[in-house]
Amino acid sequence: AGGSFPPYGNKAPSNFHGIFEVTASYVTVQDLRVLSSQGIGIKAEGLPGTHLTDVNFYNVYTNKTYKNAIRIQYVDNVILDGGDFSEGGYDAPWERPVTTLNHPGCVSVKNGVTAIVTNMKSHNHWGEGIIVGDNQNGCVVHHCEFYDCMSPLLYANNCENVDFHHNLMYGSDASTFYADPSLGIYLNCEYLSPADINRLTNIRVWNNLVVKTGTSFRLGAGEINPGTGLYPPSSGIEVYNNSFFEARGGAPKGLVLHANARITGTGVKVKHNLIYQTTAGSVVGSSSSDPLIEHWPNSWYPAPAASIQGPGDLYVNQLPVAPNAPIAAGALNVANYACSAASPAKNVLTALNAVVTDDYSGNPRTSLYSFGAFE
């Protein structure tokens, strides 16, 4: 455990060191607790061109870290299985409005090859719940719980061959960020340098449940590449069978596909998702007219803006079990967001992406599939 630090204004500058660091390959860390780090909590980091390999973390815990709770960079073949990470990114001054902040939060996985993140809780961060980006090639994030953070709960940028599935993302009713909650899932390209991937390629998002965040799902346009005038391209993105419930905050939207997103290759497919949005604000934001974006069929309640409507879309109350039930931090009841037996969103789809063979609860999908994460 590190020493605790005083309130913002008297803190020592972050040194970006970890209170626990892994600098060698073939290391397994188990049952580690890191408290009140004035830098990063846990860090595993190689060098560009000299990556570490085969580093495993099992059942690790951090609380109150000045920068990332855990930073994994230039490491190949990583397993992060089990853990609880809270209150990261404390270099963010909490006296300022949360809308002005953009600081690291929990798990950061970057610049490596192949990572597995599973069975983890990440919450109450002044930053992202998890970020996968900056040349990461290969990462699977599944069966994790992200809630009550300032920045996107699940953020992917400049990476390829990444799967996000069977994750739970939500804002609790007692969250510090209740009035202006973070995004749920955000896919975005950023210009970093010519050597970086600078694109999103082969990203699959399926069977996730997102409840009472800011915009539930957002595909961003990214930043224009200097000297080219072009946005970085997105290709091979599949967003299937997710349930997006009750986005809230200043501009709540169930789903946003930015009109100036640059799509190439195999394009973007946003299908079979359930979007339930009864709070004030539009259900969906701007939608690209790019023919490489397929954004139907999805199920919407109520009906979205005309720009998003497509063949096979279902505009009807999907009759979830208890969509307005109170949410306690760390205790979301996922059964509240399944469709009731009488739901018109159940057993109406005749086709399904091959990767989605079960629902959020692990039950096999049957011959007539349902909209959303639940069969």
Side-chain angles (χ1 to χ4, degrees), residues 179-181 248-252:
D180 192 8
R248 65 187 183 191

Side-chain angles (χ1 to χ4, degrees), residues 65-356:
T65 55
Y66 191 69
K67 286 289 186 180
N68 297 104
I70 179 167
R71 178 180 293 187
I72 299 168
Q73 184 164 239
Y74 301 114
V75 184
D76 301 339
N77 301 324
V78 173
I79 297 175
L80 174 56
D81 185 355
D84 191 307
F85 303 92
S86 59
E87 298 183 72
Y90 256 75
D91 61 339
W94 48 82
E95 292 88 352
R96 285 162 46 188
V98 296
T99 52
T100 67
L101 305 180
N102 184 14
H103 293 269
C106 182
V107 177
S108 176
V109 182
K110 299 181 177 181
N111 293 297
V113 178
T114 309
I116 297 172
V117 180
T118 185
N119 190 31
M120 177 194 73
K121 284 189 176 184
S122 171
H123 53 100
N124 299 100
H125 300 290
W126 293 87
E128 298 87 1
I130 183 169
I131 179 170
V132 179
D134 298 5
N135 299 314
Q136 182 68 28
N137 185 349
C139 184
V140 179
V141 181
H142 65 92
H143 294 91
C144 295
E145 186 172 351
F146 306 97
Y147 60 94
D148 294 350
C149 296
M150 187 279 294
S151 289
L153 295 175
L154 194 156
Y155 182 47
N157 73 292
N158 301 58
C159 56
E160 57 187 349
N161 304 316
V162 176
D163 270 52
F164 301 111
H165 65 91
H166 293 86
N167 298 295
L168 176 61
M169 286 149 276
Y170 65 97
S172 74
D173 295 324
S175 170
T176 301
F177 311 107
Y178 179 90
D180 192 8
S182 63
L183 294 174
I185 300 173
Y186 187 20
L187 309 184
N188 190 48
C189 291
E190 298 174 354
Y191 178 80
L192 299 173
S193 76
D196 289 314
I197 285 176
N198 200 27
R199 62 179 182 268
L200 283 171
T201 307
N202 298 334
I203 312 296
R204 298 192 299 182
V205 179
W206 47 282
N207 275 15
N208 299 288
L209 175 60
V210 183
V211 182
K212 290 189 178 180
T213 66
T215 295
S216 299
F217 175 86
R218 176 179 172 183
L219 174 64
E223 300 172 10
I224 293 177
N225 288 5
T228 69
L230 296 175
Y231 290 101
S234 298
S235 177
I237 295 178
E238 298 181 349
V239 183
Y240 279 90
N241 291 92
N242 302 281
S243 289
F244 300 135
F245 276 86
E246 297 291 26
R248 65 187 183 191
K253 293 179 175 65
L255 175 70
V256 172
L257 308 175
H258 277 263
N260 53 358
R262 182 170 169 238
I263 311 302
T264 63
T266 57
V268 175
K269 296 177 175 62
V270 182
K271 298 185 176 185
H272 303 169
N273 302 287
L274 187 153
I275 301 98
Y276 183 95
Q277 175 75 10
T278 63
T279 53
S282 60
V283 173
V284 66
S286 58
S287 167
S288 174
S289 60
D290 192 318
L292 291 178
I293 295 184
E294 300 177 37
H295 45 67
W296 53 76
N298 295 288
S299 179
W300 306 86
Y301 181 70
S307 60
I308 200 72
Q309 296 184 19
D313 279 352
L314 180 66
Y315 309 102
V316 68
N317 188 340
Q318 302 100 344
L319 300 178
V321 172
N324 297 313
I327 301 177
L332 185 71
N333 182 0
V334 299
N336 288 337
Y337 306 96
C339 292
S340 60
S343 171
K346 291 179 68 68
N347 303 320
V348 294
L349 294 171
T350 58
L352 193 68
N353 181 264
V355 72
V356 185

